[in-house]
Amino acid sequence: MDAETRVAVVGINGTLGAPVIKSLTKTSFELTLLTRDKNKTQQFVESTFPSSERIHITEVDYTSNSSLVSALTGQHSVVILISRTVADPHIKVIDAAIEAGVEQIIPSCFGLDTRIPSIRANPALEQKLRMEDHVLHRAEDKSKKWSYAMIHTAVFLEWSLTAGVFINMKGGGDAPTMVFDDGDSKFALSSFNDIGTAIVNVIRKRHSPEVRDKVLLMSSVHTTQNDLLAYAKGFRPEKTWPTIRIDSADALRKSREALARGDRTPPAMSGFLVRAYSADGNGWFPKLDNDVLGVSLKDETFLKDALRDALQA
């Protein structure tokens, strides 16, 4: 069945691009990568996936509906990995996919559960919400022949460690970590491998009511900032691992003040996410769809291994 499945991937240059393509190449899917620059993408494929023979590259004009429709015609699923900060390219791809007769659309919904009011209130997610709302609006058509599957992943595990989102590993333990409130708020992380596995299984199940027109929640592991710091100190006990305490209420207040001044930049809006992940308790999903997605919730050993790998990188 895999060999008969044609999958288009859009937005391959982002954080999830290479990991998701890696998972897709482990199947027998016929992959088509949509890109603005065919030569650049060809170099990327040859250097990253040199042994894959089932990757095709199609150059498209993202401003042209006819270009997108032509590229998407004949595809069974389209995986959209475009940055959440820009809605228009998403919407153009979604509309073109519907017109082209694509059976399944997997939009770039990876992250927090945007159905939660406090998450929806975050101005930094305005473009992502606009895209998701467009999908839901198009899905109201009772005669539609396509389906969507939105996968919420919470924060990407590997990215969060290298970016210093919850623990700052610069200098191997010398740089301060900003700890939100008491540092004991639970949050979820999803690994690149698990996200790729989830996407593969959603494609395989595209005709199943388990995934058709569903919002699916996944996590690889649950933890806290204090736990991460404790694990890191265990690996590098000679380091001080300093911390700076951040009051999430104060961070939220500053972001609201910035919004009132017209500053909607991600740093200025970060207080909304800080609050969501800490005092509001929205950084993890109480109910998961891991079984449907073919992934599991791991224990602390998994997280420690990821943390050790990041420290050694």
Side-chain angles (χ1 to χ4, degrees):
M1 182 178 177
D2 278 7
E4 300 173 357
T5 301
R6 296 180 295 276
V7 179
V9 184
V10 185
I12 64 171
N13 295 319
T15 303
L16 286 179
V20 168
I21 295 171
K22 179 180 179 180
S23 293
L24 292 171
T25 58
K26 293 178 181 178
T27 72
S28 298
F29 296 159
E30 286 290 328
L31 303 181
T32 297
L33 310 184
L34 272 57
T35 178
R36 290 187 177 91
D37 189 332
K38 187 171 184 178
N39 290 334
K40 180 180 178 181
T41 301
Q42 186 67 51
Q43 293 174 3
F44 162 74
V45 170
E46 290 175 353
S47 63
T48 312
F49 309 101
S51 60
S52 179
E53 299 177 353
R54 294 186 307 279
I55 296 181
H56 312 286
I57 301 171
T58 300
E59 191 166 279
V60 296
D61 177 358
Y62 283 104
T63 66
S64 168
N65 181 67
S66 61
S67 175
L68 289 169
V69 170
S70 176
L72 291 168
T73 297
Q75 301 294 324
H76 293 109
S77 299
V78 57
V79 181
I80 306 174
L81 304 176
I82 301 171
S83 169
R84 73 182 188 189
T85 61
V86 284
D88 287 340
H90 281 93
I91 291 172
K92 289 182 182 298
V93 172
I94 290 162
D95 289 344
I98 295 171
E99 185 176 339
V102 176
E103 294 178 0
Q104 181 191 55
I105 298 172
I106 303 175
S108 187
C109 300
F110 314 102
L112 293 175
D113 186 351
T114 49
R115 296 170 299 178
I116 298 172
S118 62
I119 301 298
R120 291 189 67 85
N122 182 357
L125 298 179
E126 180 181 38
Q127 293 294 302
K128 181 182 181 183
L129 292 169
R130 184 175 155 228
M131 175 274 294
E132 291 181 359
D133 289 346
H134 183 76
V135 174
L136 297 175
H137 172 70
R138 292 299 307 265
E140 291 174 357
D141 181 358
K142 302 301 181 182
S143 64
K144 74 180 181 68
K145 298 180 180 179
W146 60 278
S147 69
Y148 66 83
M150 297 183 179
I151 306 173
H152 292 316
T153 61
V155 177
F156 307 151
L157 169 59
E158 294 87 347
W159 172 82
S160 73
L161 294 177
T162 57
V165 177
F166 299 112
I167 182 170
N168 190 348
M169 295 191 296
K170 291 181 179 178
D174 292 327
T177 290
M178 290 187 295
V179 175
F180 310 135
D181 297 328
D182 61 5
D184 281 328
S185 295
K186 181 164 66 173
F187 55 85
L189 300 167
S190 289
S191 71
F192 287 148
N193 183 65
D194 278 352
I195 294 170
T197 297
I199 291 172
V200 166
N201 285 318
V202 162
I203 293 170
R204 285 176 172 155
K205 294 182 176 184
R206 65 186 180 279
H207 299 133
S208 169
E210 285 186 308
V211 305
R212 286 181 58 84
D213 296 339
K214 290 291 194 299
V215 176
L216 303 160
L217 307 177
M218 67 169 286
S219 302
S220 299
V221 68
H222 292 151
T223 191
T224 69
Q225 286 190 282
N226 286 338
D227 284 342
L228 283 175
L229 285 165
Y231 301 152
K233 290 174 182 177
F235 290 128
R236 298 278 178 86
E238 74 281 5
K239 298 292 186 175
T240 58
W241 295 98
T243 60
I244 299 174
R245 295 286 170 174
I246 302 295
D247 185 321
S248 65
D250 188 52
L252 180 61
R253 176 185 59 78
K254 290 178 179 177
S255 286
R256 285 175 171 163
E257 290 174 352
L259 181 63
R261 296 193 303 269
D263 185 354
R264 304 172 71 90
T265 59
M269 296 296 97
S270 63
F272 288 95
L273 285 179
V274 167
R275 185 68 177 183
Y277 273 100
S278 51
D280 287 350
N282 292 324
W284 67 291
F285 310 133
K287 185 178 183 302
L288 295 172
D289 298 295
N290 281 11
D291 288 346
V292 173
L293 298 171
V295 300
S296 63
L297 191 65
K298 283 87 169 169
D299 61 18
E300 66 179 33
T301 301
F302 174 83
L303 183 57
K304 286 180 178 178
D305 287 344
L307 183 59
R308 183 180 59 247
D309 291 345
L311 278 170
Q312 294 174 348

